[in-house]
Amino acid sequence: MRLHRLKVTAFGPFAEPQDIDFDALSGAGIFLLHGPTGAGKTSVLDAVCYALYGSVPGARQAPGTSLRSDHAAAGIPTEVTLELTAGGRRLEITRRPEQDRPKKRGTGTTKDKAQSGLREHTAEGWQPLSRSHQEIGEEIEQLLGMSREQFCQVVLLPQGEFARFLRADEAARGRLLGRLFDTRRFAAVEALLGERRRAAEAKVRAGDEKVLHTAQRLAQAAGDSADLRAWPLPRHQPGDPGLAGAVRAWAAVARCSARERLTVAEWALAAVEGRHAAARRAAEDARELDRLQRRHAETARRAAVLAEAAPERERVRALLDRARRGALVAPALELRGAASAGHLAAAHAETAARAALPASLKDAGTGQLATEEQRLREELGALGAAHRAEQRSAAIGRERANLERESRAAEEQHRESAEWLERWDATRAALHARVDAAQQAATLAEQIAGKLEPARLQLNAARRRDELAAAAERAAAGLLRAREESAAAREHWLELKEARLRGIAAELAEALVAGEACAVCGSSQHPAPARPAPGHVDRAAEDAAHARFEQAEEAKAAVERRLAADEQARAEAAAAAGDATTGELLALTADLSSRHAAAHAAAAGLHAAREQLARAEREHAARSADRLDAERRAAARASHREQLDREQAALEAELALVRADAPTVAARARTLEDRVRMVSAAATALRRAETTAARLKEADDQLADAAFKAGFDTVEAAADAVLPEYERTALQRRMDAWQAEEAMLADRLAESDTAAAATRPPAEPEQAEAYAAQAAAKLRTAGSAFDAARVRCAELDRLSRQAEQELRALGPLREAYERVARLAGLTAGTSADNERKMRLEAYVLAARLEQVAAAATVRLLRMSGGRYTLVHSDARAGGRGRSGLGLHVVDAWTGSERDTATLSGGETFFASLALALGLADVVTDEAGGMRLDTLFIDEGFGSLDDQALDEVLDVLDSLRERDRSVGIVSHVADLRTRVQAQLEIVKQRGGSVVRHRTAASLTD
């Protein structure tokens, strides 16, 4: 991968567009990136990382952190464009973060979504490839073969982190190497084996619990036939390998005992069954004899009762014979009764109808009544035409009333329209005045709105100026506290360092080994090694104090940066707010707002006023037209009223002749209809009375003839012989019951076995039943015992087979658990076979660390003049710690091997730089051998002397052998004379700018 060109706009401290030509800087192999603190050196590296991966390294990628420059104008978008070559392809990546921009219409801002673009340079020029964030990210990561974390560690070499890596413990090294080499798959293998071990263990325990549950059911099924003291539960638990044999042995004993009890129960059941059969036969014979004897006694009793009822039977038979003859006369009796009732009702109706007739018709016959009815109907038919004339007269009256109402309504509307038209001139003038006032208010609202927005902006700036002034005061107080804390931490660190130097002899004495040369004097004899004095300060305490001092310094620098930012923002807000106070601006804004609101409210009625004026003009035209139309309608109504009056007078003269003494034609018609109905009803009643009299005489003749034929002397005797149907049915049932009883008794008296049973002694069925019940109870007891023994044997056999199946299924589960448990313990470092207690992930990382140490040693030997070598140590850590990620340095001058944490400041820089370069080579190989032609080294050169600096630059210069370029980020002034190609970041009030410096020219 080689970087060619970087363009940034409104990014970080860069407000204006900046163009960085990496091709020009890389010509010398090494170029320097320098500038004052806070100018934006790291922002250049952030822009490279953001262009590639869409995010920046470190804390700047935290949520809520903006990449946009605070110095940039509102209309300039934040954008980063990077041109590079990767995998033999020349690409251009353009990214814009999510950001706010001014609205195109109105005030305020709107949010633009993040945008990305990828182009490739071909023979035809630049060709677009994608605008998808996800597709571009996948393409870049596939080309580079590195994630963002790996890129930040391999290409943007952070020396501070590698210095901490050298002094870190094995856990911290493991976390860093795990991120770089992506050993999550090995950690996943550890976790997977652990999960499988727990799952296999759970299956084994579940199988054991299942076997124990089956064994418990065996014990329940065995009951008191097994010795519970031999039960294996008190001595065997889930997971015990001896559980299977114990369960098998106990189940065999329980089955044998149950089979013995089954045999005994079977013999006892056979004996009881014989005795029960004999008792059951004896009880059945006693019950049959008792039944026959009781049957014979019941037959004798019922025969005596039947003989006593003979007179009653004769009386009932006579009644039935007379009732059968009376039934022959019953139809004629019913016919005569119906004819008599009909004649009586017709006579009463005739009397009532004649009473309603006038005196002239009371004795009239049917012919005279029919003639009178015909005359009345003819007179009623002549009233039809008169009825229609009367309806027309009533309609004329209603029509004249409607004309009167219309006349009154038209006069009222005419009067209201005349009054409205008289007010028209004044109404039109008032509406025109309202429209003019609303138009003037709209003009005034526009004028005030032009003044209101600048006043609000000035008020917001004044408020921000006041807030930033208070924040600056608080930051100044915080800066004073931070400086005091930093000074106190530095003083404490120096005190501890001085105390440690005073007792350094004790530390050196702890490393002495009998027979080996002393590192100070060279003697192999150590007669009186120094001992630590009370309160001795060790290296850990000094390092902790130094770390607290560095933290205090960082906190002080952060407060200084925050104070500078607050001061600058306050100056900008003060320039925008002017000399006016916040109160004055607030009063001005409130006055303008109230005036604008009042004018806007008045102007809001402009449209309504215009609409009201238009409606009034339309109403004036309509009312003028209606007035003329109303005059024409009034003349037409007067002419129509005169015509209706003439027609109604003619109709009333004609109706006076037809009504006679009735008030209306309808009343006259109702009177005639009532007379017609009265005459018609009287004629009908007279005809019905004559008809019913003839039917009554005919019914009397038929009844006398029927009584004579049935054998009765008179009609009254025949009527007395007639019985209701229910009485005749009841008498017949009594006769049928006597006859059936007589036949049944004859059949019973003919039975021989009943007669023979009556001669025998009385039976005793209760005693025989009691003996049979005792035998049945004994049979049930024996049967229950046999069934229980049989069921127990079957259940024990079934449960034994089930337990055997479960034990056979448990064997493979236990073998699988033991195999997985051995693998899980080995990969987790807890197994006894893992002597160094190394986890699988740590083992893989140890191999990677060994490669990194070997690659770093090649450059460290050159930087240190052949003195230092980095080696990987897999020595087991003290206590309960794991091993495998130790890192030591071998000093060729003394031949000793020591921890990298003991290196001095300059030596730490040597080792960390060599480690960073070596790690870059190893990670590059791990990522598929992607060539890295551009590297950046961030700080750390200030701790080197001139000779060491020359050696480091020689090593970095040797990277050009692979056609690499190295960018050094540093404040060291000596580097500006040693490195010709430079990229200077100049900090200015309006935002930082970049300047390129080469051996030949200087460009802005």
Side-chain angles (χ1 to χ4, degrees):
M1 182 201 73
R2 176 178 290 278
L3 304 181
H4 298 293
R5 184 175 296 274
L6 175 68
K7 298 178 182 179
V8 295
T9 303
F11 182 86
F14 306 107
E16 299 297 329
Q18 303 296 320
D19 192 347
I20 302 175
D21 188 354
F22 286 112
D23 287 337
L25 294 172
S26 303
I30 301 177
F31 62 91
L32 178 64
L33 180 60
H34 67 93
T37 301
K41 300 184 296 298
T42 306
S43 296
V44 174
L45 308 184
D46 292 345
V48 173
C49 184
Y50 177 72
L52 291 173
Y53 295 95
S55 60
V56 298
R60 293 192 60 182
Q61 66 175 339
T65 304
S66 176
L67 301 177
R68 182 169 176 78
S69 174
D70 296 332
H71 303 284
I76 299 177
T78 299
E79 182 178 274
V80 176
T81 300
L82 177 65
E83 185 179 338
L84 74 156
T85 296
R89 300 167 60 186
R90 185 150 184 160
L91 304 173
E92 181 189 78
I93 308 170
T94 301
R95 292 189 187 270
R96 287 188 178 184
E98 185 181 73
Q99 54 192 299
D100 294 331
R101 63 165 177 81
K103 293 182 178 179
K104 296 181 179 180
R105 294 185 179 87
T107 60
T109 61
T110 184
K111 189 176 291 296
D112 280 344
K113 294 183 179 180
Q115 301 178 21
S116 298
L118 178 63
R119 299 195 305 171
E120 182 177 5
H121 190 273
T122 62
E124 291 78 15
W126 288 102
Q127 302 295 328
L129 297 182
S130 176
R131 300 186 64 84
S132 169
H133 302 299
Q134 182 178 359
E135 291 179 359
I136 295 174
E138 293 174 354
E139 182 74 15
I140 294 303
E141 188 163 345
Q142 182 177 2
L143 283 174
L144 300 183
M146 292 181 289
S147 64
R148 183 181 64 85
E149 289 77 9
Q150 291 175 320
F151 178 83
C152 294
Q153 294 288 342
V154 174
V155 179
L156 312 179
L157 301 177
Q159 293 305 296
E161 290 190 14
F162 281 99
R164 287 192 294 273
F165 179 81
L166 289 173
R167 297 190 296 268
D169 57 9
E170 295 189 5
R173 288 177 184 158
R175 287 192 294 271
L176 176 61
L177 293 174
R179 290 196 305 269
L180 293 178
F181 293 105
D182 191 15
T183 56
R184 289 174 296 181
R185 58 188 184 278
F186 300 103
V189 170
E190 296 178 24
L192 177 62
L193 288 174
E195 291 176 0
R196 289 189 177 180
R197 179 187 61 78
R198 289 188 292 272
E201 182 180 5
K203 290 181 179 179
V204 171
R205 294 189 65 84
D208 288 343
E209 293 291 346
K210 193 173 182 181
V211 170
L212 288 174
H213 178 67
T214 304
Q216 183 66 37
R217 293 176 62 189
L218 275 167
Q220 294 174 356
D224 57 357
S225 65
D227 187 1
L228 291 180
R229 290 173 298 175
W231 171 237
L233 269 180
R235 296 190 301 272
H236 298 282
Q237 297 298 329
D240 188 354
L243 179 63
V247 170
R248 287 190 176 100
W250 191 89
V253 173
R255 290 197 302 273
C256 291
S257 177
R259 289 193 181 95
E260 292 177 358
R261 297 190 64 179
L262 176 62
T263 302
V264 173
E266 186 177 3
W267 284 101
L269 178 62
V272 172
E273 283 178 345
R275 291 192 294 271
H276 174 261
R280 187 175 60 221
R281 287 193 298 272
E284 290 175 354
D285 294 342
R287 284 195 300 272
E288 181 63 17
L289 178 60
D290 180 68
R291 185 185 68 79
L292 293 174
Q293 289 177 348
R294 285 189 284 106
R295 183 181 179 86
H296 184 270
E298 178 66 17
T299 301
R301 183 187 64 78
R302 293 173 69 175
V305 172
L306 184 63
E308 293 176 356
E312 181 65 15
R313 291 174 63 186
E314 291 299 328
R315 187 186 69 82
V316 171
R317 186 180 292 108
L319 286 175
L320 282 175
D321 180 65
R322 192 164 178 269
R324 281 194 293 270
R325 290 187 293 113
L328 298 175
V329 185
L333 286 172
E334 292 178 358
L335 181 62
R336 198 270 174 190
S340 177
H343 177 65
L344 182 61
H348 284 300
E350 178 187 1
T351 303
R354 285 186 179 276
L357 291 174
S360 59
L361 297 176
K362 287 187 180 294
D363 297 328
T366 55
Q368 186 179 357
L369 291 176
T371 302
E372 180 65 17
E373 180 182 1
Q374 180 65 28
R375 184 187 68 78
L376 292 175
R377 289 186 181 279
E378 291 175 355
E379 186 178 354
L380 181 62
L383 292 178
H387 182 66
R388 289 190 293 274
E390 186 180 40
Q391 290 179 344
R392 173 57 184 164
S393 178
I396 290 173
R398 291 193 298 272
E399 191 171 354
R400 290 189 76 260
N402 291 336
L403 287 175
E404 292 296 333
R405 286 195 298 272
E406 290 177 0
S407 297
R408 290 193 296 271
E411 290 177 358
E412 184 178 355
Q413 183 177 3
H414 177 71
R415 185 168 54 256
E416 192 269 337
S417 296
E419 294 175 356
W420 191 91
L421 291 173
E422 289 176 359
R423 299 192 304 270
W424 165 242
D425 293 334
T427 301
R428 180 173 55 183
L431 291 176
H432 277 294
R434 182 180 174 186
V435 171
D436 294 340
Q439 184 65 47
Q440 293 175 2
T443 304
L444 179 60
E446 292 179 358
Q447 294 174 355
I448 296 175
K451 299 177 182 179
L452 180 59
E453 186 60 27
R456 286 176 176 171
L457 295 177
Q458 193 174 3
L459 175 61
N460 293 336
R463 287 174 174 170
R464 179 167 176 77
R465 175 193 62 193
D466 298 343
E467 293 174 356
L468 290 173
E473 292 179 359
R474 292 192 298 270
L479 178 59
L480 181 59
R481 289 193 300 272
R483 286 174 177 172
E484 293 174 355
E485 293 174 358
S486 176
R490 183 176 185 278
E491 184 177 354
H492 180 61
W493 168 55
L494 294 177
E495 290 176 356
L496 292 181
K497 184 174 184 180
E498 184 178 356
R500 179 170 175 259
L501 291 176
R502 288 196 300 269
I504 195 66
E507 288 190 21
L508 295 175
E510 291 179 355
L512 293 178
V513 179
E516 295 184 2
C518 175
V520 179
C521 65
S523 174
S524 59
Q525 301 295 325
H526 316 300
R531 295 292 183 266
H536 174 67
V537 178
D538 57 3
R539 183 179 182 85
E542 179 188 353
D543 290 343
H546 185 261
R548 286 193 295 273
F549 166 62
E550 289 181 344
Q551 293 175 357
E553 282 291 310
E554 292 177 357
K556 181 183 70 173
V559 174
E560 288 176 348
R561 290 192 297 270
R562 186 165 61 252
L563 178 59
D566 290 346
E567 289 292 344
Q568 184 177 356
R570 183 181 65 173
E572 294 175 355
D579 298 333
T581 64
T582 304
E584 295 172 350
L585 293 174
L586 182 60
L588 176 61
T589 305
D591 178 60
L592 291 174
S593 297
S594 61
R595 290 169 56 195
H596 178 266
H600 188 270
L606 176 59
H607 179 73
R610 289 175 175 171
E611 288 292 330
Q612 187 174 2
L613 176 59
R615 285 196 301 271
E617 290 177 346
R618 289 193 298 271
E619 185 176 2
H620 174 262
R623 285 180 181 272
S624 299
D626 290 344
R627 182 170 58 181
L628 297 176
D629 188 50
E631 293 175 354
R632 290 193 296 270
R633 287 196 299 270
R637 281 195 298 270
S639 176
H640 187 46
R641 187 185 302 109
E642 294 175 357
Q643 180 181 356
L644 292 176
D645 290 341
R646 290 192 298 270
E647 183 180 359
Q648 189 175 25
L651 290 174
E652 287 296 329
E654 180 182 351
L655 290 173
L657 298 175
V658 177
R659 291 172 185 160
D661 56 348
T664 63
V665 174
R668 176 64 178 169
R670 286 194 296 272
T671 301
L672 293 176
E673 289 173 355
D674 293 339
R675 291 179 180 178
V676 168
R677 283 194 297 272
M678 181 178 60
V679 172
S680 176
T684 302
L686 182 59
R687 288 192 295 271
R688 185 178 296 114
E690 293 175 351
T691 302
T692 55
R695 289 178 181 173
L696 178 60
K697 184 178 182 306
E698 183 181 356
D700 287 338
D701 296 340
Q702 292 178 356
L703 176 60
D705 183 59
F708 177 76
K709 290 180 179 180
F712 293 101
D713 296 335
T714 62
V715 174
E716 288 77 7
D720 293 338
V722 176
L723 291 179
E725 181 66 22
Y726 68 92
E727 291 184 5
R728 286 190 287 112
T729 302
L731 293 174
Q732 186 63 45
R733 287 177 180 173
R734 291 182 67 185
M735 289 300 299
D736 293 343
W738 280 324
Q739 292 176 0
E741 181 76 5
E742 186 177 11
M744 185 270 294
L745 292 176
D747 292 340
R748 285 192 178 184
L749 291 174
E751 294 176 353
S752 59
D753 54 349
T754 305
T759 61
R760 296 178 61 182
E764 297 179 351
E766 293 81 3
Q767 183 178 0
E769 287 289 344
Y771 182 75
Q774 294 176 359
K778 293 180 181 179
L779 178 62
R780 288 194 297 272
T781 302
S784 299
F786 174 74
D787 292 339
R790 180 171 51 79
V791 170
R792 182 181 294 110
C793 287
E795 183 67 10
L796 287 174
D797 291 341
R798 185 185 68 79
L799 292 175
S800 297
R801 291 192 299 272
Q802 179 178 343
E804 184 63 27
Q805 293 174 356
E806 293 171 354
L807 289 172
R808 290 177 181 175
L810 186 59
L813 294 178
R814 194 180 301 279
E815 294 176 0
Y817 165 69
E818 292 175 354
R819 182 171 60 255
V820 173
R822 286 196 303 271
L823 287 175
L826 187 64
T827 57
T830 58
S831 172
D833 297 333
N834 193 333
E835 297 179 356
R836 297 189 176 276
K837 302 299 181 182
M838 291 180 64
R839 296 172 51 197
L840 176 62
E841 185 180 13
Y843 177 78
V844 175
L845 292 177
R848 292 289 186 262
L849 183 59
E850 187 174 0
Q851 296 174 0
V852 171
T857 296
V858 176
R859 296 182 176 86
L860 182 57
L861 285 172
R862 188 170 178 181
M863 293 182 191
S864 62
R867 178 178 180 183
Y868 293 119
T869 302
L870 283 175
V871 294
H872 161 249
S873 173
D874 59 357
R876 183 173 179 178
R880 301 179 62 183
R882 306 290 175 88
S883 60
L885 296 179
L887 191 62
H888 290 176
V889 61
V890 178
D891 191 345
W893 291 4
T894 63
S896 62
E897 180 178 338
R898 52 194 173 99
D899 193 270
T900 53
T902 61
L903 294 173
S904 64
E907 294 170 343
T908 299
F909 175 74
F910 281 160
S912 63
L913 179 58
L915 187 66
L917 295 174
L919 184 63
D921 292 340
V922 175
V923 173
T924 301
D925 295 338
E926 175 74 11
M930 170 59 66
R931 180 179 176 85
L932 300 177
D933 297 322
T934 305
L935 299 175
F936 292 92
I937 301 175
D938 190 1
E939 293 299 345
F941 292 87
S943 60
L944 304 179
D945 54 25
D946 292 342
Q947 181 180 355
L949 184 59
D950 290 337
E951 293 174 349
V952 170
L953 291 178
D954 289 342
V955 172
L956 296 179
D957 191 57
S958 66
L959 296 177
R960 287 189 298 175
E961 298 172 0
R962 301 184 183 180
D963 196 21
R964 284 184 175 180
S965 62
V966 180
I968 301 174
V969 182
S970 178
H971 292 88
V972 178
D974 195 25
L975 287 175
R976 300 179 190 176
T977 60
R978 296 174 181 242
V979 180
Q980 298 300 319
Q982 300 177 16
L983 181 65
E984 182 181 6
I985 311 299
V986 181
K987 181 165 62 174
Q988 298 178 359
R989 179 177 294 273
S992 299
V993 297
V994 299
R995 296 177 180 174
H996 295 74
R997 183 194 300 273
T998 61
S1001 63
L1002 177 67
T1003 60
D1004 290 340

